């Protein structure tokens, strides 16, 4: 699976949009982009995934560039409960989920 | 569905003792994963099963670690003998194999070996 690069940490003001970038320049055509987050002491929680098109669900939006070499996870209105480590994972069907170091997002009141 | 269920949530044991961690995957899921998380190494994939068969155990740190999946609804991760460096949070996850669907994680077992 392709490797991903994420900033180690970010801050976001409460109520503002949090935009978390991920670089996956070596992604293959059959690899999906997944986002998970881990709130302290809890198991990783699935957020969203996509292949080519932008995706939106009740938690977040996923914007994938046209060349698929990078993506952005958008939390539209960040709350204090969104403070967590966010992992970007690139994975092909049949392969496993390998977690990197992620981005530690702190939502500031 | 109650999600992936792990037990115990916390385990404290003495060095040299045997430790068994348990996992019940989500009903209908046919892939199961064991992960270990430490501050130093982050989330590491230890082993995964497809249809109760171990597929890749290359992440298992050493022979002291073993995992079994006797049926579709139960898996164990055993450490024998345990050592202080095994102290970590162990997560179990399950998913439906062969699709793009996500993996669902349990709440983990926090193991402390003293």
């Amino acid at each position: 699976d392709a490797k991903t690069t994420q900033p180690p940490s970010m801050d976001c003001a409460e109520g503002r949009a949090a935009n978390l970038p991920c670089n996956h320049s070596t992604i293959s055509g059959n690899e999906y982009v997944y986002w998970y987050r881990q709130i302290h002491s809890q198991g990783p929680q699935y957020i969203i995934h996509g292949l080519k098109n932008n995706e939106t669900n009740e938690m977040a939006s996923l914007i994938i560039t046209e060349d698929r070499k990078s993506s952005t996870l958008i939390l539209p209105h960040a709350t204090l409960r969104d403070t967590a480590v966010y992992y970007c994972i690139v994975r092909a069907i049949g392969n496993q989920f390998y977690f990197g170091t992620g981005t530690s997002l702190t939502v500031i009141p | 569905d109650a999600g992936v269920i792990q037990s115990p949530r916390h385990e404290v044991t003495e060095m040299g003792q045997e430790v068994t961690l348990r996992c019940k995957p989500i009903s209908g899921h046919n892939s199961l994963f064991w992960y270990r998380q430490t501050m130093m190494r982050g989330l590491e994939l230890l082993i995964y099963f497809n249809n109760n068969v171990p597929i890749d155990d290359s992440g298992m740190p050493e022979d002291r670690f073993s995992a079994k999946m006797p049926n579709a609804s139960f898996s164990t991760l055993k450490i024998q003998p345990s050592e202080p460096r095994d102290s970590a949070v162990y997560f179990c996850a399950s998913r439906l194999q062969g699709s793009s669907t996500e993996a669902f994680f349990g709440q983990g077992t926090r193991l402390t070996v003293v």
Side-chain angles (χ1 to χ4, degrees):
Chain A
D1 292 313
K3 290 191 65 175
T4 62
T5 303
Q6 299 178 252
S9 64
M10 292 181 65
D11 292 339
C12 177
E14 187 178 18
R16 303 297 294 270
N19 297 281
L20 292 94
C22 180
N23 183 288
H24 32 80
S25 58
T26 59
I27 193 170
S28 300
N30 64 339
E31 291 180 318
Y32 289 76
V33 180
Y34 292 80
W35 283 84
Y36 279 77
R37 74 179 182 184
Q38 187 174 25
I39 297 170
H40 182 62
S41 299
Q42 298 184 17
Q45 176 191 24
Y46 166 81
I47 301 173
I48 198 167
H49 76 282
L51 182 62
K52 296 180 182 178
N53 300 322
N54 298 337
E55 302 288 339
T56 296
N57 63 21
E58 65 278 4
M59 290 182 68
S61 294
L62 172 61
I63 308 297
I64 303 174
T65 58
E66 193 168 342
D67 62 8
R68 301 187 71 237
K69 293 186 176 182
S70 65
S71 60
T72 301
L73 178 73
I74 301 173
L75 308 178
H77 306 287
T79 70
L80 298 179
R81 288 179 294 180
D82 292 323
T83 292
V85 178
Y86 288 77
Y87 298 97
C88 171
I89 301 165
V90 173
R91 169 192 165 267
I93 291 178
N95 292 349
Q96 308 322 313
F97 290 89
Y98 292 98
F99 289 77
T101 54
T103 295
S104 178
L105 175 69
T106 301
V107 179
I108 302 169
Chain B
D1 199 310
V4 176
I5 299 174
Q6 292 187 246
S7 64
R9 290 295 308 276
H10 302 274
E11 175 82 29
V12 180
T13 190
E14 291 185 346
M15 181 175 62
Q17 297 296 306
E18 176 182 301
V19 175
T20 299
L21 311 181
R22 297 171 176 80
C23 175
K24 178 179 173 13
I26 292 173
S27 177
H29 283 186
N30 55 0
S31 288
L32 182 140
F33 311 85
W34 283 100
Y35 288 83
R36 176 174 69 174
Q37 186 170 36
T38 61
M39 287 292 293
M40 291 296 295
R41 300 174 69 90
L43 263 166
E44 303 174 276
L45 178 63
L46 300 178
I47 184 172
Y48 72 92
F49 296 82
N50 283 343
N51 297 312
N52 313 339
V53 177
I55 302 301
D56 185 356
D57 64 355
S58 60
M60 296 284 262
E62 47 196 277
D63 292 345
R64 297 185 296 107
F65 286 69
S66 63
K68 294 182 179 179
M69 192 164 186
N71 57 62
S73 59
F74 184 66
S75 177
T76 60
L77 177 67
K78 183 180 293 186
I79 308 173
Q80 180 185 23
S82 59
E83 297 181 2
R85 59 193 169 119
D86 301 330
S87 297
V89 182
Y90 291 81
F91 290 103
C92 176
S94 71
R95 63 179 296 274
L96 189 59
Q97 179 199 2
S99 69
S100 70
T101 57
E102 65 274 26
F104 294 85
F105 284 76
Q107 289 304 299
T109 295
R110 181 173 295 277
L111 173 65
T112 303
V113 183
V114 298

